[in-house]
Short mmCIF file of all heavy atoms in Angstrom, two decimals:
data_model
loop_
_atom_site.label_atom_id
_atom_site.label_comp_id
_atom_site.label_asym_id
_atom_site.label_seq_id
_atom_site.Cartn_x
_atom_site.Cartn_y
_atom_site.Cartn_z
N ARG Z 17 51.31 -94.87 -195.72
CA ARG Z 17 50.96 -94.05 -196.86
C ARG Z 17 50.65 -94.89 -198.23
O ARG Z 17 49.84 -94.56 -198.99
CB ARG Z 17 52.24 -93.06 -197.25
CG ARG Z 17 52.55 -92.03 -196.20
CD ARG Z 17 53.61 -91.19 -196.63
NE ARG Z 17 53.89 -90.16 -195.59
CZ ARG Z 17 55.10 -89.65 -195.32
NH1 ARG Z 17 56.06 -90.01 -196.18
NH2 ARG Z 17 55.22 -88.77 -194.40
N PHE Z 18 51.40 -95.94 -198.37
CA PHE Z 18 51.06 -96.75 -199.59
C PHE Z 18 49.62 -97.37 -199.36
O PHE Z 18 48.89 -97.31 -200.30
CB PHE Z 18 52.03 -98.03 -199.54
CG PHE Z 18 51.70 -98.91 -200.74
CD1 PHE Z 18 51.94 -98.72 -202.05
CD2 PHE Z 18 51.14 -100.25 -200.30
CE1 PHE Z 18 51.44 -99.59 -202.93
CE2 PHE Z 18 50.82 -101.18 -201.25
CZ PHE Z 18 50.96 -100.85 -202.56
N PHE Z 19 49.27 -97.93 -198.21
CA PHE Z 19 48.02 -98.40 -198.00
C PHE Z 19 46.88 -97.29 -198.08
O PHE Z 19 45.76 -97.55 -198.75
CB PHE Z 19 47.92 -99.10 -196.70
CG PHE Z 19 48.55 -100.52 -196.61
CD1 PHE Z 19 49.44 -100.88 -195.70
CD2 PHE Z 19 48.33 -101.46 -197.71
CE1 PHE Z 19 50.07 -102.00 -195.55
CE2 PHE Z 19 49.00 -102.62 -197.72
CZ PHE Z 19 49.80 -102.95 -196.64
N ILE Z 20 47.14 -96.17 -197.54
CA ILE Z 20 46.14 -95.21 -197.63
C ILE Z 20 46.00 -94.62 -199.18
O ILE Z 20 44.82 -94.48 -199.52
CB ILE Z 20 46.56 -93.88 -196.74
CG1 ILE Z 20 46.35 -94.39 -195.29
CG2 ILE Z 20 45.61 -92.71 -196.86
CD1 ILE Z 20 46.83 -93.40 -194.26
N GLY Z 21 47.12 -94.54 -199.82
CA GLY Z 21 47.05 -94.18 -201.22
C GLY Z 21 46.32 -95.19 -202.07
O GLY Z 21 45.58 -94.87 -203.02
N ALA Z 22 46.52 -96.45 -201.70
CA ALA Z 22 45.80 -97.53 -202.41
C ALA Z 22 44.40 -97.43 -202.20
O ALA Z 22 43.45 -97.59 -203.09
CB ALA Z 22 46.36 -98.95 -202.06
N VAL Z 23 43.92 -97.27 -200.92
CA VAL Z 23 42.49 -97.12 -200.59
C VAL Z 23 41.84 -95.90 -201.33
O VAL Z 23 40.77 -95.97 -201.87
CB VAL Z 23 42.21 -96.96 -199.03
CG1 VAL Z 23 40.89 -96.65 -198.69
CG2 VAL Z 23 42.69 -98.32 -198.49
N PHE Z 24 42.47 -94.80 -201.23
CA PHE Z 24 42.00 -93.43 -201.84
C PHE Z 24 42.09 -93.68 -203.44
O PHE Z 24 41.12 -93.31 -204.12
CB PHE Z 24 42.84 -92.30 -201.50
CG PHE Z 24 42.47 -91.69 -200.22
CD1 PHE Z 24 43.54 -91.36 -199.23
CD2 PHE Z 24 41.14 -91.27 -199.81
CE1 PHE Z 24 43.06 -90.98 -197.91
CE2 PHE Z 24 40.90 -90.87 -198.57
CZ PHE Z 24 41.82 -90.64 -197.69
N GLY Z 25 43.07 -94.29 -203.88
CA GLY Z 25 43.09 -94.56 -205.36
C GLY Z 25 41.88 -95.50 -205.71
O GLY Z 25 41.27 -95.26 -206.83
N ALA Z 26 41.56 -96.65 -204.99
CA ALA Z 26 40.47 -97.38 -205.31
C ALA Z 26 39.18 -96.69 -205.28
O ALA Z 26 38.36 -96.93 -206.01
CB ALA Z 26 40.51 -98.58 -204.21
N LEU Z 27 39.11 -95.80 -204.19
CA LEU Z 27 37.81 -95.14 -204.09
C LEU Z 27 37.60 -94.05 -205.33
O LEU Z 27 36.53 -93.89 -205.82
CB LEU Z 27 37.78 -94.20 -202.75
CG LEU Z 27 37.60 -95.05 -201.47
CD1 LEU Z 27 37.67 -94.13 -200.23
CD2 LEU Z 27 36.32 -95.72 -201.43
N ILE Z 28 38.83 -93.43 -205.65
CA ILE Z 28 38.57 -92.58 -206.72
C ILE Z 28 38.21 -93.21 -208.03
O ILE Z 28 37.53 -92.86 -208.85
CB ILE Z 28 39.88 -91.63 -206.92
CG1 ILE Z 28 40.04 -90.62 -205.76
CG2 ILE Z 28 40.03 -90.86 -208.17
CD1 ILE Z 28 41.41 -89.98 -205.62
N SER Z 29 39.09 -94.45 -208.35
CA SER Z 29 38.84 -95.04 -209.47
C SER Z 29 37.34 -95.78 -209.48
O SER Z 29 36.80 -95.67 -210.55
CB SER Z 29 39.93 -96.25 -209.65
OG SER Z 29 39.83 -97.12 -208.64
N TYR Z 30 36.95 -96.10 -208.42
CA TYR Z 30 35.49 -96.56 -208.28
C TYR Z 30 34.59 -95.53 -208.61
O TYR Z 30 33.62 -95.68 -209.35
CB TYR Z 30 35.23 -97.19 -206.92
CG TYR Z 30 33.90 -97.72 -206.77
CD1 TYR Z 30 33.51 -98.98 -207.37
CD2 TYR Z 30 33.00 -97.11 -205.99
CE1 TYR Z 30 32.34 -99.43 -207.15
CE2 TYR Z 30 31.63 -97.66 -205.90
CZ TYR Z 30 31.37 -98.84 -206.38
OH TYR Z 30 30.14 -99.37 -206.40
N GLY Z 31 34.80 -94.34 -208.15
CA GLY Z 31 33.94 -93.06 -208.48
C GLY Z 31 33.94 -92.83 -209.91
O GLY Z 31 32.93 -92.61 -210.63
N ILE Z 32 35.20 -92.82 -210.63
CA ILE Z 32 35.29 -92.70 -212.01
C ILE Z 32 34.59 -93.73 -212.70
O ILE Z 32 33.84 -93.46 -213.83
CB ILE Z 32 36.79 -92.50 -212.34
CG1 ILE Z 32 37.38 -91.18 -211.81
CG2 ILE Z 32 36.92 -92.55 -213.97
CD1 ILE Z 32 38.92 -91.12 -212.09
N TYR Z 33 34.82 -94.89 -212.28
CA TYR Z 33 34.13 -96.14 -212.94
C TYR Z 33 32.55 -96.01 -212.98
O TYR Z 33 31.87 -96.09 -213.97
CB TYR Z 33 34.48 -97.41 -212.40
CG TYR Z 33 33.86 -98.55 -212.85
CD1 TYR Z 33 34.05 -99.11 -214.07
CD2 TYR Z 33 32.77 -99.19 -212.04
CE1 TYR Z 33 33.41 -100.26 -214.49
CE2 TYR Z 33 31.99 -100.21 -212.49
CZ TYR Z 33 32.32 -100.75 -213.78
OH TYR Z 33 31.69 -101.82 -214.15
N ILE Z 34 31.96 -95.46 -211.73
CA ILE Z 34 30.63 -95.42 -211.65
C ILE Z 34 30.16 -94.18 -212.48
O ILE Z 34 29.09 -94.26 -213.12
CB ILE Z 34 30.19 -95.04 -210.24
CG1 ILE Z 34 30.46 -96.42 -209.28
CG2 ILE Z 34 28.71 -94.59 -209.90
CD1 ILE Z 34 29.59 -97.61 -209.52
N TYR Z 35 30.84 -93.04 -212.61
CA TYR Z 35 30.49 -92.02 -213.44
C TYR Z 35 30.43 -92.42 -214.89
O TYR Z 35 29.43 -92.05 -215.58
CB TYR Z 35 31.44 -90.76 -213.24
CG TYR Z 35 31.25 -89.78 -214.18
CD1 TYR Z 35 30.17 -88.80 -214.03
CD2 TYR Z 35 32.14 -89.44 -215.31
CE1 TYR Z 35 29.92 -87.83 -214.93
CE2 TYR Z 35 31.87 -88.39 -216.19
CZ TYR Z 35 30.80 -87.66 -215.94
OH TYR Z 35 30.51 -86.66 -216.90
N ILE Z 36 31.41 -93.05 -215.38
CA ILE Z 36 31.51 -93.56 -216.78
C ILE Z 36 30.40 -94.51 -217.14
O ILE Z 36 29.74 -94.39 -218.06
CB ILE Z 36 32.96 -94.14 -216.98
CG1 ILE Z 36 34.02 -93.00 -217.16
CG2 ILE Z 36 32.94 -94.70 -218.46
CD1 ILE Z 36 35.38 -93.50 -217.28
N TYR Z 37 30.16 -95.41 -216.11
CA TYR Z 37 29.15 -96.48 -216.35
C TYR Z 37 27.82 -95.67 -216.34
O TYR Z 37 26.98 -96.09 -217.19
CB TYR Z 37 29.18 -97.51 -215.10
CG TYR Z 37 28.21 -98.49 -215.13
CD1 TYR Z 37 28.09 -99.50 -216.08
CD2 TYR Z 37 26.93 -98.31 -214.33
CE1 TYR Z 37 27.09 -100.48 -216.22
CE2 TYR Z 37 25.91 -99.24 -214.39
CZ TYR Z 37 25.92 -100.41 -215.38
OH TYR Z 37 25.00 -101.21 -215.35
N GLY Z 38 27.51 -94.67 -215.47
CA GLY Z 38 26.33 -94.02 -215.38
C GLY Z 38 25.99 -93.27 -216.70
O GLY Z 38 24.92 -93.22 -217.26
N SER Z 39 27.03 -92.54 -217.20
CA SER Z 39 26.86 -91.74 -218.39
C SER Z 39 26.63 -92.65 -219.59
O SER Z 39 25.80 -92.42 -220.52
CB SER Z 39 28.10 -90.90 -218.61
OG SER Z 39 29.31 -91.59 -218.93
N LEU Z 40 27.27 -93.89 -219.76
CA LEU Z 40 27.13 -94.80 -220.81
C LEU Z 40 25.72 -95.27 -220.56
O LEU Z 40 25.02 -95.60 -221.67
CB LEU Z 40 28.21 -95.78 -220.85
CG LEU Z 40 29.64 -95.36 -221.31
CD1 LEU Z 40 30.57 -96.55 -221.17
CD2 LEU Z 40 29.54 -94.79 -222.63
N TYR Z 41 25.25 -95.80 -219.58
CA TYR Z 41 24.04 -96.41 -219.36
C TYR Z 41 22.97 -95.33 -219.58
O TYR Z 41 21.85 -95.68 -220.26
CB TYR Z 41 23.95 -96.94 -217.83
CG TYR Z 41 22.79 -97.72 -217.63
CD1 TYR Z 41 22.62 -99.02 -218.11
CD2 TYR Z 41 21.60 -97.29 -216.99
CE1 TYR Z 41 21.56 -99.75 -217.95
CE2 TYR Z 41 20.43 -98.05 -216.80
CZ TYR Z 41 20.34 -99.38 -217.23
OH TYR Z 41 19.42 -100.06 -217.06
N GLU Z 42 23.17 -94.04 -219.30
CA GLU Z 42 22.07 -93.08 -219.59
C GLU Z 42 22.10 -92.92 -221.12
O GLU Z 42 20.90 -92.89 -221.72
CB GLU Z 42 22.65 -91.69 -218.98
CG GLU Z 42 21.75 -90.50 -219.30
CD GLU Z 42 22.16 -89.23 -218.72
OE1 GLU Z 42 23.20 -89.33 -217.97
OE2 GLU Z 42 21.51 -88.24 -218.90
N ARG Z 43 23.27 -92.92 -221.97
CA ARG Z 43 23.06 -92.98 -223.35
C ARG Z 43 22.39 -94.08 -223.93
O ARG Z 43 21.62 -94.01 -224.89
CB ARG Z 43 24.60 -92.82 -223.91
CG ARG Z 43 25.14 -91.53 -223.95
CD ARG Z 43 26.42 -91.45 -224.74
NE ARG Z 43 27.31 -90.68 -224.13
CZ ARG Z 43 28.66 -90.89 -224.18
NH1 ARG Z 43 29.23 -91.82 -224.88
NH2 ARG Z 43 29.52 -90.05 -223.53
N VAL Z 44 22.65 -95.32 -223.28
CA VAL Z 44 21.94 -96.50 -223.76
C VAL Z 44 20.44 -96.38 -223.57
O VAL Z 44 19.75 -96.73 -224.47
CB VAL Z 44 22.55 -97.83 -223.20
CG1 VAL Z 44 21.74 -98.96 -223.35
CG2 VAL Z 44 24.11 -98.00 -223.72
N LEU Z 45 20.13 -95.99 -222.39
CA LEU Z 45 18.70 -95.76 -222.05
C LEU Z 45 17.89 -94.79 -222.99
O LEU Z 45 16.83 -95.04 -223.60
CB LEU Z 45 18.43 -95.32 -220.62
CG LEU Z 45 18.50 -96.39 -219.63
CD1 LEU Z 45 18.43 -95.78 -218.19
CD2 LEU Z 45 17.41 -97.50 -219.87
N GLU Z 46 18.71 -93.66 -223.28
CA GLU Z 46 18.15 -92.67 -224.25
C GLU Z 46 18.04 -93.27 -225.58
O GLU Z 46 16.98 -93.07 -226.32
CB GLU Z 46 19.03 -91.42 -224.28
CG GLU Z 46 18.61 -90.34 -225.13
CD GLU Z 46 19.66 -89.11 -225.10
OE1 GLU Z 46 20.33 -88.97 -224.12
OE2 GLU Z 46 19.61 -88.32 -226.00
N GLU Z 47 19.01 -93.96 -226.03
CA GLU Z 47 18.91 -94.59 -227.37
C GLU Z 47 17.80 -95.68 -227.45
O GLU Z 47 17.17 -95.82 -228.41
CB GLU Z 47 20.20 -95.27 -227.71
CG GLU Z 47 20.28 -95.79 -229.12
CD GLU Z 47 21.81 -96.47 -229.43
OE1 GLU Z 47 22.78 -95.93 -228.92
OE2 GLU Z 47 21.77 -97.39 -230.11
N ASN Z 48 17.75 -96.42 -226.37
CA ASN Z 48 16.63 -97.44 -226.22
C ASN Z 48 15.28 -96.77 -226.35
O ASN Z 48 14.27 -97.28 -227.12
CB ASN Z 48 16.71 -98.17 -224.97
CG ASN Z 48 15.77 -99.40 -224.87
OD1 ASN Z 48 15.22 -99.81 -225.89
ND2 ASN Z 48 15.67 -99.86 -223.80
N PHE Z 49 15.04 -95.58 -225.64
CA PHE Z 49 13.78 -94.91 -225.69
C PHE Z 49 13.45 -94.38 -227.22
O PHE Z 49 12.41 -94.56 -227.53
CB PHE Z 49 13.56 -93.82 -224.70
CG PHE Z 49 13.39 -94.34 -223.38
CD1 PHE Z 49 14.28 -93.87 -222.26
CD2 PHE Z 49 12.57 -95.34 -222.89
CE1 PHE Z 49 14.05 -94.20 -220.97
CE2 PHE Z 49 12.38 -95.72 -221.66
CZ PHE Z 49 13.16 -95.23 -220.67
N GLU Z 50 14.49 -93.84 -227.69
CA GLU Z 50 14.37 -93.42 -229.10
C GLU Z 50 14.00 -94.50 -230.15
O GLU Z 50 13.06 -94.34 -230.95
CB GLU Z 50 15.66 -92.70 -229.69
CG GLU Z 50 16.04 -91.37 -228.93
CD GLU Z 50 17.29 -90.77 -229.41
OE1 GLU Z 50 17.98 -91.33 -230.26
OE2 GLU Z 50 17.67 -89.72 -228.78
N LEU Z 51 14.72 -95.62 -229.96
CA LEU Z 51 14.32 -96.76 -230.78
C LEU Z 51 13.03 -97.27 -230.56
O LEU Z 51 12.23 -97.72 -231.49
CB LEU Z 51 15.43 -97.96 -230.79
CG LEU Z 51 16.74 -97.52 -231.15
CD1 LEU Z 51 17.81 -98.70 -230.82
CD2 LEU Z 51 16.81 -97.44 -232.73
N GLN Z 52 12.45 -97.28 -229.26
CA GLN Z 52 11.23 -97.80 -229.00
C GLN Z 52 10.14 -96.88 -229.52
O GLN Z 52 9.18 -97.23 -230.20
CB GLN Z 52 11.02 -97.85 -227.42
CG GLN Z 52 11.69 -99.13 -226.84
CD GLN Z 52 11.36 -99.13 -225.31
OE1 GLN Z 52 10.95 -98.16 -224.65
NE2 GLN Z 52 11.78 -100.35 -224.80
N SER Z 53 10.40 -95.61 -229.50
CA SER Z 53 9.58 -94.56 -230.04
C SER Z 53 9.47 -94.69 -231.54
O SER Z 53 8.41 -94.65 -232.21
CB SER Z 53 10.01 -93.18 -229.73
OG SER Z 53 9.30 -92.21 -230.45
#
């Protein structure tokens, strides 16, 4: 149970990390396009 919990926790935290990184990267790209314009 501990190992399965650790694997699922790692997968969930990796998903949350990818989501946060994607939203921040999207904001950065949007700001970059605005600044270029």
Side-chain angles (χ1 to χ4, degrees):
R17 287 183 186 155
F18 173 76
F19 286 132
I20 289 175
V23 168
F24 280 126
L27 289 174
I28 290 172
S29 64
Y30 183 74
I32 291 172
Y33 174 77
I34 292 295
Y35 173 76
I36 291 173
Y37 177 78
S39 64
L40 288 177
Y41 192 73
E42 182 180 354
R43 278 193 222 148
V44 168
L45 280 177
E46 182 180 337
E47 184 178 328
N48 188 15
F49 286 136
E50 287 176 3
L51 288 175
Q52 284 180 348
S53 173

